[in-house]
Amino acid sequence: MPINHPSFGKLEDGRVIIFDTTLRDGEQSPGFSMNLNEKIRMAEALTELGVDVLEAGFAIASPGDFESVKTIAETIGQRADSPVLASLSRAGAQDVMASATALKSAKRKRIHIVIATSDLHMKYKLRLSPDEVIAATVESIKLARNHADDVEWSAEDATRSDIDFLARCCEAAIKAGATTINLPDTVGYAMPEDMERMYTQIRAKVPGIDTVILSTHNHVPEQHPDHASAADVETARGHHRF
C-alpha cells in the first residue's frame, strides 16, 4: 500500500529509503571522531552521493554536536538537493527541544527519538516500567511533532524485546504522530531469520503500520551482513540505514 510521507510524498511499495548515520552512530567507532569542518565535508559528500536522510548528529550530546547539527542545517539544509536532516534525541523534552532548535533552519528536517524496549534495558538502564516507556514515547513524539512534520521513533534493542510489548510501543508511536518506525538490532544479537520473523510479526500485529515507513538498522557479524540486510529490506520494505 502506498505511503504518504511528509518528507517524500507518495511512496510506493518496494521503495527503499537510505538513512545515513555516519555523522552520529558511525562517529562512535574508535578513531573516527570528526571536528566541525570534517563533519561538513562528510555531509557534503553524502549529499552528493544522494542519501535520502542524513543524521547530522545528537544535538544534546555536547555543545560541539549541537553546533555541527545547526551548521549543517544552516548550510547543506538550505540547498535544493538537501537530504532530510535528522538529529537524534532520547525520549525526553530537553533532548527533543535541542534537536528542534539545532534543526530549525533546515528546509527538510526530522527529529529522531529513541528509547529502549527490551526488559533488560528498561529495568537496568532506564529504570522505567513498560507503561512509563510507552508514556515517554507518546509525550516525546507529540512534542517533536510541534516542531517537525517528520518524526522517527526507534525501539532500542528491539530484537531482544518482547514482541507483544514492541507491537504496543509501535502502535502508540504511530498514534502519537511518528512517520517512521525503526526496529534496530542494537547489539548485533539477531540472525537474518530473527529479523525477518520480527518484521513479519510487527507488520501483522500493529494497526497503522502500513501508513508509516518501517525501518531497519543492523550491527551484524562479518559472516552474514548482506544476508541480514537483505532479510530486513524484504520484510521491512521501506528504510535501510548505513
Side-chain angles (χ1 to χ4, degrees):
M1 185 176 84
I3 296 169
N4 289 310
H5 192 272
S7 291
F8 301 108
K10 186 177 180 180
L11 292 173
E12 299 291 344
D13 284 351
R15 168 73 187 276
V16 175
I17 302 295
I18 303 299
F19 178 116
D20 188 280
T21 187
T22 301
L23 293 176
R24 202 278 303 167
D25 202 9
E27 203 200 14
Q28 297 182 62
S29 300
F32 283 89
S33 61
M34 291 174 272
N35 61 36
L36 178 58
N37 288 335
E38 290 168 337
K39 288 184 178 183
I40 292 171
R41 287 175 57 201
M42 178 63 76
E44 288 172 342
L46 292 167
T47 299
E48 295 297 327
L49 189 62
V51 300
D52 299 296
V53 184
L54 192 163
E55 191 164 51
F58 186 2
I60 205 170
S62 69
D65 244 36
F66 180 90
E67 189 59 32
S68 66
V69 175
K70 184 172 181 287
T71 301
I72 291 169
E74 292 171 344
T75 54
I76 291 166
Q78 307 307 307
R79 290 168 46 166
D81 64 344
S82 172
V84 176
L85 298 180
S87 174
L88 185 67
S89 312
R90 292 163 299 187
Q94 284 187 309
D95 281 50
V96 170
M97 291 309 301
S99 289
T101 304
L103 291 168
K104 185 175 181 179
S105 65
K107 292 182 178 180
R108 305 175 73 204
K109 52 181 167 282
R110 170 182 295 189
I111 296 175
H112 177 196
I113 295 167
V114 61
I115 191 167
T117 55
S118 68
D119 290 342
L120 186 67
H121 280 214
M122 288 190 292
K123 182 176 181 179
Y124 293 106
K125 185 173 77 170
L126 300 180
R127 297 183 181 180
L128 295 176
S129 70
D131 286 345
E132 288 173 322
V133 166
I134 290 177
T137 292
V138 170
E139 290 169 8
S140 59
I141 291 171
K142 287 183 174 180
L143 176 61
R145 281 300 303 264
N146 290 332
H147 301 277
D149 292 332
D150 188 344
V151 174
E152 176 173 352
W153 178 77
S154 287
E156 185 183 3
D157 207 20
T159 52
R160 295 192 296 177
S161 300
D162 175 80
I163 194 66
D164 290 323
F165 177 67
L166 184 60
R168 284 178 59 203
C169 289
C170 291
E171 182 177 0
I174 293 168
K175 287 181 178 178
T179 55
T180 294
I181 298 294
N182 177 44
L183 305 178
D185 182 26
T186 304
V187 297
Y189 168 83
M191 298 293 285
E193 55 270 25
D194 299 321
M195 300 299 291
E196 183 174 1
R197 181 169 53 251
M198 178 181 69
Y199 283 105
T200 299
Q201 290 179 311
I202 289 297
R203 290 175 70 89
K205 289 175 177 285
V206 179
I209 198 69
D210 289 333
T211 67
V212 300
I213 292 174
L214 190 54
S215 168
T216 178
H217 175 113
N218 289 331
H219 295 273
V220 295
E222 292 181 359
Q223 64 266 32
H224 59 73
D226 294 336
H227 294 166
S229 297
D232 290 352
V233 169
E234 176 60 26
T235 52
R237 293 180 182 172
H239 207 272
H240 199 65
R241 311 160 88 83
F242 295 92

